[in-house]
PDB file of all heavy atoms in Angstrom:
ATOM      1  N   ARG A 183     124.215  41.768  46.462  1.00  0.00           N
ATOM      2  CA  ARG A 183     125.036  42.329  45.369  1.00  0.00           C
ATOM      3  C   ARG A 183     124.418  43.596  44.795  1.00  0.00           C
ATOM      4  O   ARG A 183     125.122  44.585  44.577  1.00  0.00           O
ATOM      5  CB  ARG A 183     125.248  41.304  44.243  1.00  0.00           C
ATOM      6  CG  ARG A 183     126.268  40.235  44.581  1.00  0.00           C
ATOM      7  CD  ARG A 183     126.372  39.237  43.459  1.00  0.00           C
ATOM      8  NE  ARG A 183     125.036  38.704  43.175  1.00  0.00           N
ATOM      9  CZ  ARG A 183     124.711  38.031  42.087  1.00  0.00           C
ATOM     10  NH1 ARG A 183     125.597  37.817  41.147  1.00  0.00           N
ATOM     11  NH2 ARG A 183     123.494  37.563  41.921  1.00  0.00           N
ATOM     12  N   GLU A 187     126.013  47.332  44.827  1.00  0.00           N
ATOM     13  CA  GLU A 187     126.154  48.133  43.606  1.00  0.00           C
ATOM     14  C   GLU A 187     125.493  49.500  43.792  1.00  0.00           C
ATOM     15  O   GLU A 187     126.077  50.539  43.459  1.00  0.00           O
ATOM     16  CB  GLU A 187     125.539  47.397  42.421  1.00  0.00           C
ATOM     17  CG  GLU A 187     125.657  48.175  41.128  1.00  0.00           C
ATOM     18  CD  GLU A 187     124.946  47.516  39.964  1.00  0.00           C
ATOM     19  OE1 GLU A 187     123.978  46.749  40.191  1.00  0.00           O
ATOM     20  OE2 GLU A 187     125.345  47.769  38.815  1.00  0.00           O
ATOM     21  N   GLU A 196     134.347  53.261  42.641  1.00  0.00           N
ATOM     22  CA  GLU A 196     134.597  52.331  41.542  1.00  0.00           C
ATOM     23  C   GLU A 196     134.785  50.947  42.144  1.00  0.00           C
ATOM     24  O   GLU A 196     135.102  50.810  43.327  1.00  0.00           O
ATOM     25  CB  GLU A 196     135.878  52.720  40.809  1.00  0.00           C
ATOM     26  CG  GLU A 196     135.845  54.091  40.173  1.00  0.00           C
ATOM     27  CD  GLU A 196     137.201  54.453  39.594  1.00  0.00           C
ATOM     28  OE1 GLU A 196     137.733  53.642  38.801  1.00  0.00           O
ATOM     29  OE2 GLU A 196     137.720  55.501  39.956  1.00  0.00           O
ATOM     30  N   GLY A 197     134.624  49.907  41.300  1.00  0.00           N
ATOM     31  CA  GLY A 197     134.902  48.560  41.767  1.00  0.00           C
ATOM     32  C   GLY A 197     133.963  47.520  41.197  1.00  0.00           C
ATOM     33  O   GLY A 197     133.414  47.687  40.113  1.00  0.00           O
ATOM     34  N   TRP A 198     133.779  46.445  41.971  1.00  0.00           N
ATOM     35  CA  TRP A 198     132.929  45.349  41.542  1.00  0.00           C
ATOM     36  C   TRP A 198     132.477  44.523  42.743  1.00  0.00           C
ATOM     37  O   TRP A 198     133.039  44.631  43.826  1.00  0.00           O
ATOM     38  CB  TRP A 198     133.636  44.466  40.510  1.00  0.00           C
ATOM     39  CG  TRP A 198     134.992  43.953  40.916  1.00  0.00           C
ATOM     40  CD1 TRP A 198     136.202  44.514  40.585  1.00  0.00           C
ATOM     41  CD2 TRP A 198     135.298  42.791  41.702  1.00  0.00           C
ATOM     42  NE1 TRP A 198     137.218  43.768  41.141  1.00  0.00           N
ATOM     43  CE2 TRP A 198     136.701  42.714  41.817  1.00  0.00           C
ATOM     44  CE3 TRP A 198     134.526  41.819  42.324  1.00  0.00           C
ATOM     45  CZ2 TRP A 198     137.341  41.695  42.526  1.00  0.00           C
ATOM     46  CZ3 TRP A 198     135.160  40.802  43.035  1.00  0.00           C
ATOM     47  CH2 TRP A 198     136.553  40.748  43.125  1.00  0.00           C
ATOM     48  N   VAL A 199     131.458  43.686  42.506  1.00  0.00           N
ATOM     49  CA  VAL A 199     130.955  42.766  43.523  1.00  0.00           C
ATOM     50  C   VAL A 199     130.556  41.470  42.832  1.00  0.00           C
ATOM     51  O   VAL A 199     130.130  41.478  41.676  1.00  0.00           O
ATOM     52  CB  VAL A 199     129.762  43.391  44.299  1.00  0.00           C
ATOM     53  CG1 VAL A 199     128.580  43.676  43.377  1.00  0.00           C
ATOM     54  CG2 VAL A 199     129.351  42.534  45.485  1.00  0.00           C
ATOM     55  N   ARG A 200     130.700  40.341  43.528  1.00  0.00           N
ATOM     56  CA  ARG A 200     130.282  39.050  42.978  1.00  0.00           C
ATOM     57  C   ARG A 200     130.034  38.060  44.108  1.00  0.00           C
ATOM     58  O   ARG A 200     130.582  38.184  45.203  1.00  0.00           O
ATOM     59  CB  ARG A 200     131.323  38.486  42.012  1.00  0.00           C
ATOM     60  CG  ARG A 200     132.643  38.090  42.657  1.00  0.00           C
ATOM     61  CD  ARG A 200     133.641  37.625  41.619  1.00  0.00           C
ATOM     62  NE  ARG A 200     134.968  37.449  42.193  1.00  0.00           N
ATOM     63  CZ  ARG A 200     136.066  37.297  41.465  1.00  0.00           C
ATOM     64  NH1 ARG A 200     135.997  37.314  40.145  1.00  0.00           N
ATOM     65  NH2 ARG A 200     137.232  37.135  42.049  1.00  0.00           N
ATOM     66  N   VAL A 210     135.418  44.682  45.549  1.00  0.00           N
ATOM     67  CA  VAL A 210     136.549  45.612  45.559  1.00  0.00           C
ATOM     68  C   VAL A 210     135.974  47.008  45.428  1.00  0.00           C
ATOM     69  O   VAL A 210     135.103  47.255  44.575  1.00  0.00           O
ATOM     70  CB  VAL A 210     137.550  45.317  44.413  1.00  0.00           C
ATOM     71  CG1 VAL A 210     138.555  46.452  44.260  1.00  0.00           C
ATOM     72  CG2 VAL A 210     138.274  44.001  44.669  1.00  0.00           C
ATOM     73  N   LEU A 249     139.366  43.902  37.360  1.00  0.00           N
ATOM     74  CA  LEU A 249     138.467  42.801  37.014  1.00  0.00           C
ATOM     75  C   LEU A 249     137.085  43.292  36.592  1.00  0.00           C
ATOM     76  O   LEU A 249     136.319  42.544  35.991  1.00  0.00           O
ATOM     77  CB  LEU A 249     138.320  41.830  38.197  1.00  0.00           C
ATOM     78  CG  LEU A 249     139.563  41.036  38.570  1.00  0.00           C
ATOM     79  CD1 LEU A 249     139.296  40.204  39.819  1.00  0.00           C
ATOM     80  CD2 LEU A 249     140.010  40.147  37.417  1.00  0.00           C
ATOM     81  N   ARG A 250     136.756  44.550  36.897  1.00  0.00           N
ATOM     82  CA  ARG A 250     135.438  45.078  36.495  1.00  0.00           C
ATOM     83  C   ARG A 250     135.346  45.136  34.967  1.00  0.00           C
ATOM     84  O   ARG A 250     136.356  45.106  34.269  1.00  0.00           O
ATOM     85  CB  ARG A 250     135.187  46.451  37.114  1.00  0.00           C
ATOM     86  CG  ARG A 250     136.107  47.506  36.577  1.00  0.00           C
ATOM     87  CD  ARG A 250     135.935  48.811  37.303  1.00  0.00           C
ATOM     88  NE  ARG A 250     137.050  49.677  36.909  1.00  0.00           N
ATOM     89  CZ  ARG A 250     137.171  50.919  37.232  1.00  0.00           C
ATOM     90  NH1 ARG A 250     136.249  51.492  37.975  1.00  0.00           N
ATOM     91  NH2 ARG A 250     138.190  51.627  36.844  1.00  0.00           N
ATOM     92  N   ARG A 251     134.116  45.224  34.479  1.00  0.00           N
ATOM     93  CA  ARG A 251     133.898  45.260  33.034  1.00  0.00           C
ATOM     94  C   ARG A 251     134.396  46.578  32.450  1.00  0.00           C
ATOM     95  O   ARG A 251     134.193  47.640  33.048  1.00  0.00           O
ATOM     96  CB  ARG A 251     132.417  45.084  32.716  1.00  0.00           C
ATOM     97  CG  ARG A 251     131.925  43.688  32.986  1.00  0.00           C
ATOM     98  CD  ARG A 251     130.524  43.476  32.449  1.00  0.00           C
ATOM     99  NE  ARG A 251     129.989  42.241  32.987  1.00  0.00           N
ATOM    100  CZ  ARG A 251     129.350  42.153  34.153  1.00  0.00           C
ATOM    101  NH1 ARG A 251     129.149  43.218  34.892  1.00  0.00           N
ATOM    102  NH2 ARG A 251     128.897  40.988  34.573  1.00  0.00           N
ATOM    103  N   ALA A 252     134.974  46.503  31.283  1.00  0.00           N
ATOM    104  CA  ALA A 252     135.491  47.690  30.593  1.00  0.00           C
ATOM    105  C   ALA A 252     134.389  48.720  30.424  1.00  0.00           C
ATOM    106  O   ALA A 252     133.270  48.386  30.028  1.00  0.00           O
ATOM    107  CB  ALA A 252     136.069  47.300  29.238  1.00  0.00           C
ATOM    108  N   GLY A 253     134.697  49.965  30.747  1.00  0.00           N
ATOM    109  CA  GLY A 253     133.746  51.045  30.561  1.00  0.00           C
ATOM    110  C   GLY A 253     132.766  51.236  31.703  1.00  0.00           C
ATOM    111  O   GLY A 253     131.963  52.160  31.684  1.00  0.00           O
ATOM    112  N   GLU A 254     132.810  50.367  32.704  1.00  0.00           N
ATOM    113  CA  GLU A 254     131.908  50.489  33.845  1.00  0.00           C
ATOM    114  C   GLU A 254     132.661  51.008  35.066  1.00  0.00           C
ATOM    115  O   GLU A 254     133.792  50.594  35.313  1.00  0.00           O
ATOM    116  CB  GLU A 254     131.269  49.135  34.198  1.00  0.00           C
ATOM    117  CG  GLU A 254     130.308  48.641  33.147  1.00  0.00           C
ATOM    118  CD  GLU A 254     129.600  47.346  33.557  1.00  0.00           C
ATOM    119  OE1 GLU A 254     129.888  46.787  34.636  1.00  0.00           O
ATOM    120  OE2 GLU A 254     128.761  46.898  32.778  1.00  0.00           O
ATOM    121  N   GLU A 255     132.017  51.902  35.807  1.00  0.00           N
ATOM    122  CA  GLU A 255     132.604  52.378  37.067  1.00  0.00           C
ATOM    123  C   GLU A 255     132.497  51.278  38.128  1.00  0.00           C
ATOM    124  O   GLU A 255     133.416  51.066  38.903  1.00  0.00           O
ATOM    125  CB  GLU A 255     131.862  53.635  37.559  1.00  0.00           C
ATOM    126  CG  GLU A 255     132.080  54.853  36.683  1.00  0.00           C
ATOM    127  CD  GLU A 255     133.500  55.385  36.749  1.00  0.00           C
ATOM    128  OE1 GLU A 255     134.029  55.512  37.863  1.00  0.00           O
ATOM    129  OE2 GLU A 255     134.071  55.655  35.681  1.00  0.00           O
ATOM    130  N   PHE A 256     131.332  50.597  38.145  1.00  0.00           N
ATOM    131  CA  PHE A 256     131.096  49.542  39.123  1.00  0.00           C
ATOM    132  C   PHE A 256     130.379  48.383  38.440  1.00  0.00           C
ATOM    133  O   PHE A 256     129.395  48.602  37.746  1.00  0.00           O
ATOM    134  CB  PHE A 256     130.259  50.050  40.308  1.00  0.00           C
ATOM    135  CG  PHE A 256     130.401  49.176  41.521  1.00  0.00           C
ATOM    136  CD1 PHE A 256     131.412  49.417  42.446  1.00  0.00           C
ATOM    137  CD2 PHE A 256     129.559  48.095  41.717  1.00  0.00           C
ATOM    138  CE1 PHE A 256     131.567  48.591  43.558  1.00  0.00           C
ATOM    139  CE2 PHE A 256     129.710  47.275  42.818  1.00  0.00           C
ATOM    140  CZ  PHE A 256     130.718  47.528  43.741  1.00  0.00           C
ATOM    141  N   SER A 257     130.882  47.169  38.616  1.00  0.00           N
ATOM    142  CA  SER A 257     130.347  46.004  37.925  1.00  0.00           C
ATOM    143  C   SER A 257     129.831  44.948  38.907  1.00  0.00           C
ATOM    144  O   SER A 257     130.397  44.776  39.985  1.00  0.00           O
ATOM    145  CB  SER A 257     131.437  45.334  37.064  1.00  0.00           C
ATOM    146  OG  SER A 257     131.904  46.198  36.061  1.00  0.00           O
ATOM    147  N   VAL A 258     128.786  44.234  38.501  1.00  0.00           N
ATOM    148  CA  VAL A 258     128.357  43.015  39.182  1.00  0.00           C
ATOM    149  C   VAL A 258     128.890  41.882  38.321  1.00  0.00           C
ATOM    150  O   VAL A 258     128.480  41.728  37.166  1.00  0.00           O
ATOM    151  CB  VAL A 258     126.822  42.942  39.332  1.00  0.00           C
ATOM    152  CG1 VAL A 258     126.414  41.620  39.967  1.00  0.00           C
ATOM    153  CG2 VAL A 258     126.307  44.115  40.157  1.00  0.00           C
ATOM    154  N   LEU A 259     129.819  41.106  38.880  1.00  0.00           N
ATOM    155  CA  LEU A 259     130.491  40.050  38.113  1.00  0.00           C
ATOM    156  C   LEU A 259     129.852  38.691  38.353  1.00  0.00           C
ATOM    157  O   LEU A 259     129.100  38.509  39.309  1.00  0.00           O
ATOM    158  CB  LEU A 259     131.971  40.001  38.503  1.00  0.00           C
ATOM    159  CG  LEU A 259     132.780  41.291  38.309  1.00  0.00           C
ATOM    160  CD1 LEU A 259     134.212  41.087  38.764  1.00  0.00           C
ATOM    161  CD2 LEU A 259     132.731  41.753  36.865  1.00  0.00           C
TER     162      LEU A 259
END
Side-chain angles (χ1 to χ4, degrees):
R183 284 177 305 165
E187 180 185 26
E196 298 174 53
W198 53 264
V199 62
R200 67 184 171 193
V210 168
L249 293 176
R250 67 186 168 173
R251 289 189 193 87
E254 292 184 357
E255 292 291 314
F256 200 89
S257 298
V258 176
L259 302 179

